[in-house]
Amino acid sequence: MIESADVCVVGAGAGGAVLAAELAEGGARVTLLEQGPEHDADRFSARPPEMMARLYRDAGQTATLGSPPILLPVGRGLGGTTLVNSGTCFRTPAHVLERWASEFALDLDEASLEPCFERVEAALSVAEVAPDLAGENAAVARRGAERLGWSHGYLRRNARGCVGSGVCVFGCPTSAKQHTGITYIPRARAAGARIVTGADVRRVIVRAGRAVGVEAHVRGPGAMEVRAPVIALACGTIHTPVLLDRSRVPDPSGERGRNLSLHPATAAFALMDHEVDMARGVPQSFFVDEFAREGVMLEGVAGPPAYAAMALPLTGERHRAAMASYRRLAQFGLMVSDSSRGRVRTVGRHPVIRYDLCAEDLGRFRSGLARLRELFDAAGAREVYLPLPPGVEPGRAGVGDLKLMAFHPLGTARADGRAGRGVTDGALAVRGVRGLYVADGSVVPSALGVNPQLTIMALATRLADTLLDRPGTPAVNRANTVARANGHLNTKEVLCPS
Amino acid sequence: MSADTGMDAFLRAAPVTQRTGMRALLALASRPRGRRLLDRVPLAEQAAWSLLAMRRYDDPGVSRALGWDAAEVAARGRELRRAEGRP
């Protein structure tokens, strides 16, 4: 099966779905290929093991190799990880944009990104969580933060008509969470985009230095080739460099797969004197950013008994006793803006992720865990359960003592405006080949310290504007354009100096 | 879906290395000698306990006793989506 399009987008998560919708609405003939399925909310059971098997890649068991090994759960299907994240929305912090400008020569500032963020936030119905919807788990953290005088607030989320089902990360049963699968994908469809699920893209076809299509295997029909003058990869930070490797796309910067940044995270529980019912309300609704400048962000986390039982850092009788008091358990998380850097390599057809926690990040976990305990103590906790082996105090914890998960992988095809640097340039075009772009977290050049979905979506919006040659798009080397016969679309071909 | 079926689906969907490791931990944790072995390796003991606990507390009868009714949460979601024409 051979098809043609103006643009072929690979991956339907935060970046790909946004790019596909914006381009289709701009008049481009778009084909969007997604490896996972389209999920039916009628089958969302609110039960963690079943939903992890269904909604996550590898049942949420994607793991890094290194010290310590870290679970790195990512979503799969229309919506990608936006389907299974907590819905937290932050714009890119100003200090991060300043760093990108000075360190990576990226022409991005608050003013230029403002229209992109506005469009994304309107599409996703982003609003601050109301305190009554946040639930008692957030109220516990709020009491602690207020007593300690720590900076805090309710998070902004992409949700509409939320009733606090408490299972954002296991598939929102009310479709209140406005993930890209129910926001941008319907817009793309309405604008005429062809969306193919179950499409495993095997390689990007490159001829004479330019990308001309992709080869995929689609469940059912079998082999498929999409020919398009513009290809945009949005397979996510772990899989985009692997697809580039498999396609033997040149890597003049030598940085592909490197510079992997994560937000390693952990969480503590507290036993309170009153009922908390942590799964009633929005699990991630409240933050404490008192230590954000030190690279430590405290954010809400919670879930139903099966989730809490899995995460509770106890064993034996202590675990049974704590779970018997599940209704009085509170939980709060700690996320580190990392200095460590990992690497994604391609082994066979698959990614192997290496990531070792550096001493600086270990220090952040030590201080963050101490602060989580302080937060719960100030909130009146009867007992605090830190994710450390018995007898290990936060200040003396070693890397091997930490029980970590990680979220928000970024940077493996990082953008860099300096000549010859970065896997992608300032316009998100892949260096060394024409007509190939990246629209996912892999282009984000450094850790953000906050949840990245809005940043990824805003960058995808900006890329769509660039490809449609809308006013205000980045000044790039416009060697020529690919124009559609009807003249409506004026897709730029960006020639990058390598 | 029973707790065992949900857990089976979870294990089946995991990558082969993790699946093998998790099945080994569950097998060890189900035997007295295996539990004594796990006692000596705190990280493995914690991992085994987490898996056993996830299976146990995914049981609707057990979780309902703790105030969580997954079926009710899912049904409320379906009703809301139908009533309000949500996707």
Side-chain angles (χ1 to χ4, degrees):
Chain A
M1 180 167 48
I2 298 177
E3 299 189 2
S4 67
D6 294 326
V7 183
C8 179
V9 180
V10 183
V18 171
L19 183 65
E22 290 282 349
L23 288 173
E25 289 174 346
R29 287 182 306 133
V30 175
T31 296
L32 172 59
L33 303 177
E34 164 57 42
Q35 187 184 46
E38 177 161 20
H39 295 287
D40 177 2
D42 268 353
R43 296 186 66 208
F44 291 177
S45 65
R47 293 178 61 180
E50 180 192 355
M51 298 316 297
M52 285 164 75
R54 198 177 292 163
L55 304 183
Y56 285 80
R57 185 182 282 277
D58 295 334
Q61 299 295 302
T62 303
T64 65
L65 301 176
S67 181
I70 303 174
L71 279 182
L72 177 61
V74 290
R76 183 166 173 269
L78 291 187
T81 301
T82 71
L83 177 73
V84 291
N85 68 14
S86 296
T88 296
C89 292
F90 282 98
R91 290 189 180 192
T92 320
H95 69 92
V96 173
L97 291 174
E98 285 160 19
R99 182 184 163 200
W100 291 357
S102 63
E103 207 170 308
F104 303 104
L106 292 179
D107 186 21
L108 295 167
D109 56 33
E110 282 186 290
S112 67
L113 283 176
E114 173 77 21
C116 299
F117 279 121
E118 281 180 359
R119 266 151 69 191
V120 169
E121 287 168 351
L124 301 185
S125 307
V126 175
E128 189 175 292
V129 181
D132 59 333
L133 193 61
E136 184 56 27
N137 195 56
V140 168
R142 181 179 173 173
R143 267 197 299 282
E146 282 176 349
R147 284 176 187 160
L148 292 163
W150 290 353
S151 170
H152 61 269
Y154 288 96
L155 289 160
R156 296 169 78 234
R157 301 177 69 242
N158 52 323
R160 195 167 64 186
C162 175
V163 295
S165 301
V167 284
C168 307
V169 300
F170 304 116
C172 177
T174 62
S175 290
K177 187 169 69 182
Q178 300 294 291
H179 63 84
T180 57
I182 60 170
T183 50
Y184 280 95
I185 292 294
R187 278 175 51 183
R189 277 201 177 110
R194 175 161 154 66
I195 293 163
V196 183
T197 56
D200 184 17
V201 173
R202 301 292 166 85
R203 72 177 183 111
V204 177
I205 305 166
V206 179
R207 288 196 187 116
R210 79 163 290 129
V212 295
V214 303
E215 282 178 4
H217 187 275
V218 183
R219 205 173 303 127
M224 178 182 191
E225 183 176 321
V226 181
R227 293 177 181 167
V230 175
I231 310 294
L233 305 185
C235 317
T237 297
I238 304 304
H239 291 271
T240 283
V242 173
L243 181 54
L244 289 168
D245 280 350
R246 281 208 309 257
S247 307
R248 300 185 188 283
V249 170
D251 177 22
S253 71
E255 295 179 15
R256 187 157 74 218
R258 297 178 185 270
N259 305 310
L260 172 68
S261 154
L262 305 173
H263 282 152
T266 191
F269 286 81
L271 182 64
M272 308 302 293
D273 284 328
H274 65 289
E275 276 192 5
V276 176
D277 274 333
M278 66 160 78
R280 289 180 202 270
V282 177
Q284 193 165 89
S285 53
F286 191 77
F287 68 93
V288 175
D289 62 350
E290 178 74 18
F291 313 104
R293 284 282 179 172
E294 300 166 24
V296 175
M297 186 80 164
L298 309 183
E299 285 186 347
V301 57
Y307 155 80
M310 177 181 59
L312 194 60
L314 300 171
T315 58
E317 193 46 48
R318 291 192 74 208
H319 188 284
R320 281 192 205 94
M323 281 306 295
S325 303
Y326 166 78
R327 303 193 76 159
R328 292 194 287 129
L329 285 178
Q331 190 189 18
F332 217 65
L334 141 66
M335 180 172 93
V336 160
S337 180
D338 68 344
S339 300
S340 314
R341 286 296 173 266
R343 184 173 182 186
V344 175
R345 290 174 191 268
T346 306
V347 177
R349 293 184 66 238
H350 304 287
V352 172
I353 311 163
R354 175 81 198 202
Y355 185 89
D356 296 290
L357 201 73
C358 70
E360 200 176 346
D361 290 339
L362 173 62
R364 291 180 174 123
F365 275 106
R366 285 173 170 167
S367 68
L369 286 168
R371 276 151 180 167
L372 270 181
R373 180 154 67 189
E374 208 178 334
L375 182 77
F376 278 134
D377 283 343
R382 175 177 289 266
E383 209 170 341
V384 178
Y385 308 119
L386 293 179
L388 293 171
V392 176
E393 284 299 303
R396 302 185 66 84
V399 165
D401 296 322
L402 298 174
K403 184 183 174 187
L404 304 183
M405 292 181 80
F407 307 93
H408 317 145
L410 302 170
T412 54
R414 85 174 168 196
D416 196 320
R418 296 169 297 175
R421 307 289 291 270
V423 178
T424 51
D425 68 7
L428 309 186
V430 175
R431 294 188 187 278
V433 62
R434 287 169 289 149
L436 184 59
Y437 299 83
V438 178
D440 59 32
S442 65
V443 298
V444 176
S446 73
L448 300 173
V450 295
N451 309 49
Q453 65 169 343
L454 277 197
T455 296
I456 295 166
M457 293 181 194
L459 291 176
T461 304
R462 180 172 166 274
L463 175 58
D465 286 349
T466 304
L467 292 172
L468 293 166
D469 206 9
R470 285 177 172 147
T473 52
V476 291
N477 183 358
R478 295 168 191 181
N480 52 42
T481 60
V482 180
R484 277 191 57 192
N486 65 12
H488 189 66
L489 176 69
N490 182 31
T491 305
K492 282 184 286 192
E493 176 185 318
V494 182
L495 282 177
C496 332
S498 36
Chain B
M1 181 176 270
S2 72
D4 277 348
T5 317
M7 194 67 183
D8 285 347
F10 172 72
L11 290 173
R12 267 198 314 275
V16 64
T17 313
Q18 286 88 324
R19 182 166 65 236
T20 307
M22 288 189 287
R23 285 198 167 130
L25 286 172
L26 286 169
L28 283 171
S30 65
R31 294 173 178 83
R33 278 183 64 190
R35 283 197 292 274
R36 284 197 295 277
L37 191 65
L38 286 173
D39 281 347
R40 293 183 211 156
V41 190
L43 281 177
E45 186 197 17
Q46 177 69 68
W49 197 269
S50 293
L51 286 168
L52 286 170
M54 183 165 71
R55 179 162 68 186
R56 172 172 162 70
Y57 291 94
D58 188 46
D59 184 304
V62 175
S63 61
R64 262 198 301 273
L66 298 174
W68 172 258
D69 188 335
E72 187 184 290
V73 170
R76 182 177 61 167
R78 276 193 295 275
E79 279 166 30
L80 251 175
R81 281 186 287 108
R82 294 211 172 110
E84 298 182 8
R86 300 185 190 184

